[in-house]
Amino acid sequence: MTTTPILPSVNNLHKKLFGPISVPERLLLGPGPSNSHPSVLEALSLNPVGHLDPFYISLMGEVQELLRYVWQTDNRLTLPMSGTGSAAMEATIANVVEPGDTVLVAIKGYFGHRLADMAGRYRANVQTIEKQWGEAFSLDEIERALVKYKPAVFGIVHAETSTGVCQPMEGIGELCRKHNALLLLDTVTSLGGVPLYLDKWKVDLAYSCSQKGLSCPPGLGPFTINSRGEEKLSQRSGKVPNWYLDVSLLNKYWGSDRVYHHTAPVNMNFGIRESLRLIAEEGLENSWKRHLDNANLLWSGLQSLGLKMHVNPDLRLATLTTVCIPSGVDGKAFSLHLLNNFGVEIGGGLGDLAGMVWRIGLMGYNSKRENVERILSLFESELPKFR
Ligand code: PLP
């Protein structure tokens, strides 16, 4: 006969009887996350399967294949990191950077600084070149820095979410090859939304996120590395100093061996599989065109309301627009007003642009005409109350 053990009494100090969750309805037109596509939400709500279930293993292959499509790459090592964009960002650095390696980062906004910070934490010799927030780098500026610093890795952000600038990429990959550097590209705010050709642009490592152009909630960070990057990885003198993000270990699960690494967030992968499937169904070119058409509509609408965009038209990012806050207007009070009274989220400025701009995102599922019309009509009716 078993006796009931006498347990110490439970401390109920933190026992709060909350009601079931009820999330307010929001239209997310800020820098991310964007609203998820309804069929992605359905996929997320399915019952999980085991992370070594043959069904799930074949779904993993589908996710990898569709990531190659949206990134326009043939890279074997292409997979979603379990974590947000920053996890995939850190994975690029953690895998190829060894202590003492020179990492050159081209900084023209907040996320360039983050890349430099991460490289420093992996004990790289970090060198930077900087531009004003709202500008992009020229090939000349990049080549001069490559010659001066001779980096092992050159990192740059394609779509700077803090400024709304899309960095022109043609020619950068060739320069990196000429000067023997790996090209590392942040595609967090460009994947699915603006033209992106990793292989054509000779990008060696890239990362992204699930919550913007892919219309999925935050939680996965797509990652890819090509054979040049893999070669640097294979020549490491020591282990990758981050166990969770070590792609050689991860590849034993995502590649043919199917060895357990960590319990995969299977539902997030159901979700991203659905979001990638939707992009393939729409066609990448159509998705890029939809984003550009809606951005053009937004830009001309804002201009007709007398508002100024922070970025010149030739560098503007279709997924994220920075709008100058007119003088005398309390930008934060206006965005709070939109959120509290209309359930519409727009972003404020970050870093050098804090207090100077609003950031309006039209990404993935949210890049649609009716959303542009909604935000324009709110600017038209509500902004005069703040002047
Ligand atoms: N890089 C860029 C350009 C971003 O916009 C973001 C986030 O918005 C990140 C990196 C980091 O991604 P996450 O916030 O998903 O970790």
Side-chain angles (χ1 to χ4, degrees), residues 286 288-298 318 367 372:
N286 296 330
W288 294 339
K289 183 174 180 313
R290 172 169 56 83
H291 282 81
L292 184 60
D293 288 348
N294 289 321
N296 271 319
L297 207 61
L298 175 72
S367 171
V372 178

Side-chain angles (χ1 to χ4, degrees), residues 31-32 83-87 89 111 114 157 159-162 186-189 207-212 218-220 359:
T84 65
S86 303
M89 185 179 199
F111 292 100
R114 183 174 294 184
V157 176
E160 233 321 331
T161 327
S162 61
D186 177 318
T187 67
V188 167
T189 299
Y207 57 88
S208 192
C209 73
S210 49
Q211 72 269 19
K212 300 191 191 201
L220 289 179
R359 293 184 298 154

Side-chain angles (χ1 to χ4, degrees), residues 142-355:
I142 292 171
E143 180 152 36
R144 261 183 274 130
L146 290 171
V147 170
K148 182 171 173 190
Y149 298 112
K150 300 181 182 39
V153 180
F154 172 66
I156 191 162
V157 176
H158 182 215
E160 233 321 331
T161 327
S162 61
T163 64
V165 167
C166 189
Q167 169 68 46
M169 288 304 299
E170 285 78 9
I172 298 181
E174 281 76 8
L175 287 180
C176 287
R177 300 255 162 130
K178 182 173 155 197
H179 296 284
N180 242 342
L182 291 176
L183 173 56
L184 191 171
L185 190 65
D186 177 318
T187 67
V188 167
T189 299
S190 49
L191 189 64
V194 301
L196 189 47
Y197 300 92
L198 286 196
D199 287 357
K200 223 174 263 174
W201 293 346
K202 300 185 166 45
V203 174
D204 300 302
L205 292 129
Y207 57 88
S208 192
C209 73
S210 49
Q211 72 269 19
K212 300 191 191 201
L214 301 190
S215 320
C216 205
L220 289 179
F223 165 96
T224 189
I225 183 171
N226 68 6
S227 52
R228 282 182 93 221
E230 278 195 59
E231 203 181 313
K232 173 102 170 65
L233 174 59
S234 69
Q235 288 164 358
R236 290 189 71 97
S237 53
K239 279 184 178 179
V240 170
N242 186 318
W243 180 88
Y244 199 74
L245 301 175
D246 182 336
V247 281
S248 347
L249 297 181
L250 284 166
N251 193 45
K252 294 198 174 115
Y253 175 48
W254 283 88
S256 51
D257 300 351
R258 305 302 174 186
V259 175
Y260 163 73
H261 179 261
H262 64 274
T263 307
V266 290
N267 288 54
M268 277 308 299
N269 280 287
F270 291 173
I272 203 167
R273 191 252 187 214
E274 178 60 9
S275 65
L276 292 165
R277 187 193 72 78
L278 288 165
I279 295 184
E281 188 176 80
E282 180 180 11
L284 206 44
E285 311 88 323
N286 296 330
S287 176
W288 294 339
K289 183 174 180 313
R290 172 169 56 83
H291 282 81
L292 184 60
D293 288 348
N294 289 321
N296 271 319
L297 207 61
L298 175 72
W299 298 334
S300 62
L302 289 169
Q303 260 151 10
S304 0
L305 294 175
L307 290 158
K308 240 188 97 224
M309 254 50 68
H310 177 67
V311 177
N312 284 336
D314 55 329
L315 293 180
R316 257 181 227 160
L317 188 53
T319 44
L320 193 284
T321 298
T322 40
V323 189
C324 301
I325 300 173
S327 65
V329 171
D330 180 342
K332 204 167 185 172
F334 177 66
S335 43
L336 263 179
H337 173 74
L338 297 188
L339 186 69
N340 292 336
N341 297 293
F342 302 94
V344 175
E345 178 179 282
I346 62 168
L350 262 187
D352 286 9
L353 296 180

Side-chain angles (χ1 to χ4, degrees), residues 16-73:
K16 304 275 154 57
L17 295 176
F18 298 119
I21 189 167
S22 160
V23 180
E25 211 172 290
R26 300 284 191 235
L27 176 59
L28 301 176
L29 300 183
S34 192
N35 290 83
S36 297
H37 192 289
S39 69
V40 171
L41 294 177
E42 269 177 43
L44 286 164
S45 71
L46 297 170
N47 229 332
V49 295
H51 61 101
L52 291 171
D53 187 308
F55 163 80
Y56 185 68
I57 282 169
S58 109
L59 180 138
M60 288 161 70
E62 291 168 357
V63 169
Q64 292 182 289
E65 192 56 0
L66 289 175
L67 279 176
R68 292 185 189 104
Y69 166 63
V70 288
W71 252 329
Q72 293 290 284
T73 182

